[in-house]
């Protein structure tokens, strides 16, 4: 059962081949046994999952079940879940139990989905390898000496290892697409404002966006549809109807104009990744897509721009964790100042503290114009590049990450090198565009992702292209040897 897609499970449940309770039990056992060494979950909620599964079975008996009813999923541990710890991968929130569900959690529960648990992640979603988690790194199911990518590494690894058919994630600079690529699964980050951020713990509010990991574009389409849409509790949520993403999956690729940003194919691109991506592009072309080279001349600005804006926003968002209102408080503080200093010093890990320091500096009087304002201007240049190319082409394509999964520990002490893992994904968040990663083969036995970038609110088109690609390739069906 663990290898079935969401649509297959939906059919199996509808035809009574198994109950949601049986399915949920099977996956809970698999998480405990096959998944034991991966560290993909921070919390498994067996009792809650079984209760939700039984409720789904009862709805089905009563003839009230929708297409996602009774299907298990996992949430990144950044989404607040009522009554179940939400740690955000941090010691700071190790004891935090939210009194409410995030909108995403609420909507998927309303669709009948069964939450298995909460997945491991980089601390406060800051990282590209899952190594900054307070709960230790996640291992890549394809090679357990390697990272799964980050920050949503637990979700990506859990879907790849067939511990859950789908999992949620968030993407501030690549945290859905990069781990999807490194773990060989399908991941989509929709347009900024498409999915509500309410109850999704904030890292960099102007960049954060929720999305989903699945084993196929079709599965991602089903779940993204259920989690998207306007939410009055998120002021940046966009009031625009959500199309049925499954209805446009069969659109042929004939005549589709695909731009290949030449900046994605330059220096630093691993040859094995390039070969796999070229082969994937050839499949699109055989299906009638027209490929043409385009340029995003300001792309090189995206790393420095992101690493001013994201830390600036995080320094503001994370100021609430002070040992008083939320989170960890140090033992036996001498006085108030000692309490603040030690609570934050002990509660946050090194990477989070580094970002808070950088962000506070960039926002300080006297430096604001030189850093934050300048970064906002660069952000505009980057968005304008995309606006210009989308006058010429329908979508963009290229490698999601320049390299396949790297070794655990290899970059943990080299932040700048780590930051460069997201060189192909950051600009998409700066512009607020939708992007996805689709399994596109292997480089040295490690998965490679093809990134597709669309114009605003064109996630339906991205999912359709990915689906067509998946009709003509079987990379997405391959499972890591230890998890088949
Ligand atoms: N790796 C990037 C960072 O560390 C992006 C993370 C994300 O998208 N949450 O900030």
């Amino acid at each position: 059962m663990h290898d079935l897609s969401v649509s297959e499970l939906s059919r199996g449940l509808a035809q009574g081949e198994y109950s949601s309770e049986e399915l949920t039990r099977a996956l809970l056992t698999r998480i405990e046994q096959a998944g034991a060494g991966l560290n993909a979950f921070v919390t498994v909620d067996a009792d809650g999952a079984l209760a939700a599964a039984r409720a789904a079975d009862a709805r089905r008996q009563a003839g009230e079940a929708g297409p996602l009813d009774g299907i298990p999923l996992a949430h990144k541990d950044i989404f607040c879940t009522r009554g179940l710890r939400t740690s955000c991968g941090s010691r700071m929130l190790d004891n935090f139990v939210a009194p409410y569900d995030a909108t995403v959690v609420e909507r998927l529960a309303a669709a009948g989905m069964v939450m298995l648990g909460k997945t491991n992640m980089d601390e406060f979603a800051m990282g590209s390898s899952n190594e900054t988690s307070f709960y230790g790194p996640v291992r890549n199911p394809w090679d357990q000496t390697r990272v799964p990518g980050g920050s949503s590494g637990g979700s990506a690894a859990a879907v790849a290892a067939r511990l859950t058919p789908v999992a949620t994630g968030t993407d501030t600079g690549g945290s859905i697409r990069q781990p999807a690529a490194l773990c060989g699964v399908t991941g989509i980050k929709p347009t900024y404002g498409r999915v509500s951020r309410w109850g999704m713990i904030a890292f960099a509010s102007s960049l954060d966006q929720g999305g989903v990991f699945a084993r196929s574009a079709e599965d991602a389409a089903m779940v993204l549809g259920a989690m998207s849409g306007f939410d009055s509790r998120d002021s940046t949520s966009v009031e625009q109807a959500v199309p049925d993403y499954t209805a446009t999956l069969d659109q042929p690729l004939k005549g589709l104009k695909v731009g290949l940003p030449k900046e994605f194919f330059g220096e630093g691109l691993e040859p094995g990744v390039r070969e796999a991506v070229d082969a994937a592009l050839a499949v699109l072309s055989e299906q009638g897509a027209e490929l043409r080279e385009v340029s995003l001349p300001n792309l090189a600005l995206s790393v420095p721009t992101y690493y001013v804006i994201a830390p600036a926003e995080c320094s503001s968002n994370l100021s609430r964790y002070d040992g008083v209102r939320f989170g960890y408080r140090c033992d036996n503080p001498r006085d108030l100042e000692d309490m603040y200093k030690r609570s934050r010093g002990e509660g946050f890990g090194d990477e989070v503290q580094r970002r808070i320091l950088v962000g506070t500096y960039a926002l300080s009087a006297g430096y604001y114009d030189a850093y934050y304002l300048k970064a906002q201007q660069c952000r505009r240049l980057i968005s304008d590049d995309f606006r210009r190319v989308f006058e010429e082409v329908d979508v963009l394509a290229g490698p999601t990450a320049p390299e396949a999964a790297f070794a655990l520990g290899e970059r943990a002490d080299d932040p700048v090198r780590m930051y460069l893992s997201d060189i192909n994904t950051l600009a998409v968040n700066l512009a607020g565009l939708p992007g996805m990663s689709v399994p596109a083969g292997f480089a040295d036995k490690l998965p490679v992702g093809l990134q597709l970038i669309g114009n605003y609110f064109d996630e339906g088109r991205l999912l359709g292209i990915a689906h067509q690609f998946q009709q003509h390739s079987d990379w997405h069906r391959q499972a890591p040897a230890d998890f088949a």
Side-chain angles (χ1 to χ4, degrees), residues 79-86 97-102 105 115 118:
F79 289 100
C80 287
T81 42
R82 188 178 36 188
L84 186 71
R85 172 177 66 171
T86 300
V97 178
Y100 59 88
D101 280 332
V105 171
M115 176 179 63
K118 309 290 293 286

Side-chain angles (χ1 to χ4, degrees), residues 76 124-128 150-152 170-176 203 208 306-307 310 351 355 418-419 422 426 429:
K76 184 179 184 180
F124 282 97
M126 298 174 198
S128 307
S151 66
S152 318
T170 60
D171 189 311
T172 304
S175 281
I176 291 177
F203 160 15
D208 297 341
Y306 175 89
Y307 280 99
E351 182 61 25
R355 306 251 184 140
M418 187 72 87
Y419 297 168
D422 296 317
L426 296 172
N429 302 71

Side-chain angles (χ1 to χ4, degrees), residues 254-447:
K254 190 153 173 43
L256 180 81
K257 295 198 223 45
V258 181
L260 310 178
K262 65 170 192 241
E263 293 77 9
F264 284 170
F265 293 86
E267 213 188 315
L269 179 59
E270 203 176 273
V273 172
R274 164 137 218 174
E275 272 169 44
V277 168
D278 282 345
L281 293 171
V283 172
L284 299 184
S285 156
E286 277 155 28
Q287 297 310 306
E290 295 167 22
L291 310 182
R292 64 172 85 152
E293 187 180 284
V294 295
S295 176
L296 299 168
N298 293 297
L299 197 81
L301 295 176
S302 60
V303 176
T305 301
Y306 175 89
Y307 280 99
V308 171
I309 292 176
E313 294 186 13
C314 107
S315 73
S316 161
N317 276 325
L318 271 56
S319 66
R320 74 190 68 172
Y321 307 107
D322 57 5
V324 178
R325 285 172 296 170
F326 289 100
Y328 172 83
R329 182 185 295 188
C330 68
D331 286 335
N332 307 318
R334 263 196 327 275
D335 52 28
L336 185 66
E337 192 173 321
D338 185 51
M339 194 273 293
Y340 282 137
K341 277 192 183 153
R342 278 179 38 229
S343 295
R344 285 171 68 81
E346 294 164 16
F348 289 135
D350 289 350
E351 182 61 25
V352 172
Q353 293 191 41
R354 181 180 297 122
R355 306 251 184 140
I356 292 173
L357 289 171
V358 169
T360 306
Y361 182 84
L363 289 177
S364 55
Y367 293 112
Y368 181 89
D369 288 355
Y371 295 106
Y372 191 70
L373 201 67
K374 186 54 100 190
Q376 293 292 18
Q377 290 163 342
C378 293
R379 184 175 190 172
R380 169 54 71 89
L381 293 176
I382 293 164
S383 306
D384 284 349
D385 280 358
F386 282 110
R387 199 179 38 74
R388 225 171 297 117
V389 295
F390 282 126
E391 282 166 12
E392 248 183 84
V393 296
D394 302 312
V395 293
L396 300 173
T400 306
E403 298 154 308
F406 42 94
L408 280 157
E410 186 187 305
R411 295 187 190 171
D413 299 321
D414 188 348
V416 174
R417 183 115 192 271
M418 187 72 87
Y419 297 168
L420 291 172
S421 324
D422 296 317
I423 191 147
N424 295 348
T425 51
L426 296 172
V428 174
N429 302 71
L430 289 166
L433 294 164
M436 75 183 290
S437 183
V438 190
F442 295 86
D444 245 345
K445 303 199 176 115
L446 295 168

Side-chain angles (χ1 to χ4, degrees), residues 133-221:
S133 170
F134 175 58
Y135 304 96
V138 175
R139 292 172 183 277
N140 190 314
W142 292 90
D143 174 347
Q144 295 195 39
T145 67
R146 291 177 188 265
V147 303
S151 66
S152 318
S155 287
V159 172
R162 277 70 182 152
L163 308 181
T164 174
V166 277
T168 56
T170 60
D171 189 311
T172 304
S175 281
I176 291 177
R177 291 159 289 155
Q178 185 257 14
L182 272 46
C183 288
V185 299
T186 303
I188 180 160
K189 169 207 111 63
T191 308
Y192 182 78
R194 179 84 288 187
V195 167
S196 170
R197 291 184 297 109
W198 198 77
M200 189 177 109
I201 293 176
F203 160 15
S205 310
S206 77
L207 301 161
D208 297 341
Q209 182 59 201
V212 65
F213 293 90
R215 287 192 295 267
S216 69
E218 185 186 14
D219 288 2

